[in-house]
Amino acid sequence: MIRIFYRILFFCGLIFSANAQEIKIPEENPVAEVSEISEQSSTETASARPASEFQNNIESENQKDLDEQVVYVDAEVFSPTFMKNLIACTPDTENNQENTVEIIGIKNNKCQIKYANFDLNVPTTLLGNIHSFEDIETLLKNKDISHYNYRVDYIYEGLVYALDACSKQKDYFGKQEELSDEYVIINRSLSAEFVNGICVINLQNTQNIDGVESDYGVTCSLSFKEVKKLEPYFKDIIEKYGERRGFGTDGHIMVKPAEQNKKTHESDVALMYYMQKNGFCKKNSD
């Protein structure tokens, strides 16, 4: 009986021991799992590092290409000697590949400078701020400082035809032209419109310097009575050289444009002189 009891205890001990070993297994596995995760993370970091370095290399090469494409241009700064003479407004010249800056001297407390087709009268207080051709070109936009050295010419060509149109109470659109250079755009034209019994003749002359526009145009206004008074002076010219309309052999209307010649030019000049002398014309900028 006692032997049976000890055997039971022995088997229970074996069972308890086996169970105890089974409980210890889960305690070892988490350590192994953490170790595996740590190794895996290290592997991923190691594999990610070359990709990051590769991306950095690409960005570095791209930046290098951009740097090679950027062209740094030094401003055309005046020579030290010229800048010294400019501040003192002492006569001197400076050239670049396209133009010349010429210091003329002081007049009325302003420094006279010539550049391209411009005359500049620069206050002496601004001379210290001028260091380059670019600074000079910026001053060209200032109408109080710069003046485009251009003799204002008007288009008189067609004035005789403009007055003839007004005598018939019609409008007239004559010659138009645009003159331009590196700095200035000039638009000129001659036109006439008959409005409320008044013949209004427009001698357009506008000057545009980098978006800054000046109007040198002239407007002449004559009553219908005045136009009729002038008609005998241009009637013969119109009959000889004015526009002709007729029918061709096929029945279509034929138009012969008005002529511009020495005779019409002389009439244009004479009529313009008459209108100016009698006070029919005035400048738009007045």
Side-chain angles (χ1 to χ4, degrees):
M1 189 72 177
I2 293 172
R3 291 178 179 176
I4 293 172
F5 175 75
Y6 281 111
R7 287 178 181 175
I8 293 171
L9 289 175
F10 177 73
F11 288 126
C12 288
L14 290 176
I15 293 170
F16 178 80
S17 176
N19 289 336
Q21 291 177 1
E22 289 176 1
I23 291 172
K24 289 180 180 179
I25 291 172
E27 293 179 356
E28 294 176 356
N29 283 342
V31 176
E33 288 175 2
V34 169
S35 177
E36 289 174 3
I37 292 172
S38 178
E39 290 176 1
Q40 181 180 359
S41 176
S42 298
T43 302
E44 290 176 354
T45 302
S47 63
R49 187 179 296 113
S52 177
E53 291 175 357
F54 180 69
Q55 181 66 27
N56 290 336
N57 289 337
I58 292 176
E59 292 175 356
S60 178
E61 289 297 325
N62 289 339
Q63 185 61 43
K64 183 178 179 182
D65 291 341
L66 288 173
D67 291 340
E68 290 177 352
Q69 293 174 11
V70 175
V71 178
Y72 297 95
V73 180
D74 294 331
E76 290 187 276
V77 179
F78 294 137
S79 65
T81 301
F82 183 80
M83 290 181 67
K84 180 181 178 181
N85 290 331
L86 179 60
I87 292 174
C89 197
T90 301
D92 196 359
T93 59
E94 183 91 339
N95 301 290
N96 65 2
Q97 295 179 349
E98 298 176 353
N99 287 303
T100 298
V101 178
E102 181 181 2
I103 305 170
I104 305 300
I106 293 283
K107 184 177 180 180
N108 297 326
N109 296 320
K110 292 184 179 180
C111 186
Q112 291 186 309
I113 299 172
K114 287 186 176 292
Y115 179 78
N117 291 322
F118 291 87
D119 294 327
L120 293 88
N121 292 299
V122 184
T124 55
T125 54
L126 296 180
L127 295 176
N129 298 327
I130 303 173
H131 306 98
S132 65
F133 285 91
E134 185 177 349
D135 292 337
I136 291 289
E137 294 193 359
T138 299
L139 290 177
L140 301 184
K141 304 174 187 178
N142 190 325
K143 294 170 64 176
D144 295 328
I145 292 176
S146 69
H147 172 71
Y148 187 68
N149 198 12
Y150 159 70
R151 190 172 72 88
V152 182
D153 289 327
Y154 300 94
I155 294 179
Y156 302 148
E157 184 178 334
L159 180 57
V160 64
Y161 297 123
L163 287 169
D164 178 59
C166 282
S167 71
K168 297 178 174 65
Q169 301 185 20
K170 295 181 179 179
D171 298 338
Y172 174 82
F173 298 95
K175 184 177 180 181
Q176 300 182 54
E177 67 179 17
E178 181 178 289
L179 309 173
S180 63
D181 62 17
E182 184 180 358
Y183 301 101
V184 181
I185 299 174
I186 295 169
N187 285 288
R188 306 191 307 168
S189 68
L190 184 147
S191 62
E193 56 182 340
F194 192 82
V195 182
N196 298 325
I198 302 295
C199 177
V200 180
I201 297 174
N202 296 303
L203 303 176
Q204 181 199 17
N205 195 306
T206 58
Q207 175 182 292
N208 191 310
I209 301 175
D210 200 16
V212 179
E213 187 170 284
S214 301
D215 187 355
Y216 296 103
V218 170
T219 301
C220 305
S221 300
L222 296 86
S223 66
F224 183 66
K225 181 180 178 180
E226 286 292 340
V227 173
K228 283 296 185 180
K229 182 179 176 180
L230 289 172
E231 190 172 18
Y233 295 95
F234 58 77
K235 185 176 181 180
D236 290 343
I237 294 292
I238 299 300
E239 290 177 353
K240 289 181 181 180
Y241 308 113
E243 182 181 276
R244 294 286 183 274
R245 290 176 177 268
F247 292 95
T249 55
D250 57 358
H252 287 87
I253 296 176
M254 303 290 290
V255 179
K256 180 180 178 292
E259 294 183 40
Q260 300 287 351
N261 53 41
K262 183 179 178 180
K263 291 292 185 181
T264 61
H265 175 70
E266 289 174 352
S267 295
D268 292 337
V269 173
L271 288 167
M272 190 70 233
Y273 176 77
Y274 174 84
M275 290 192 301
Q276 287 179 316
K277 186 177 179 181
N278 287 275
F280 295 118
C281 303
K282 70 174 186 176
K283 293 181 180 179
N284 297 341
S285 56
D286 290 346

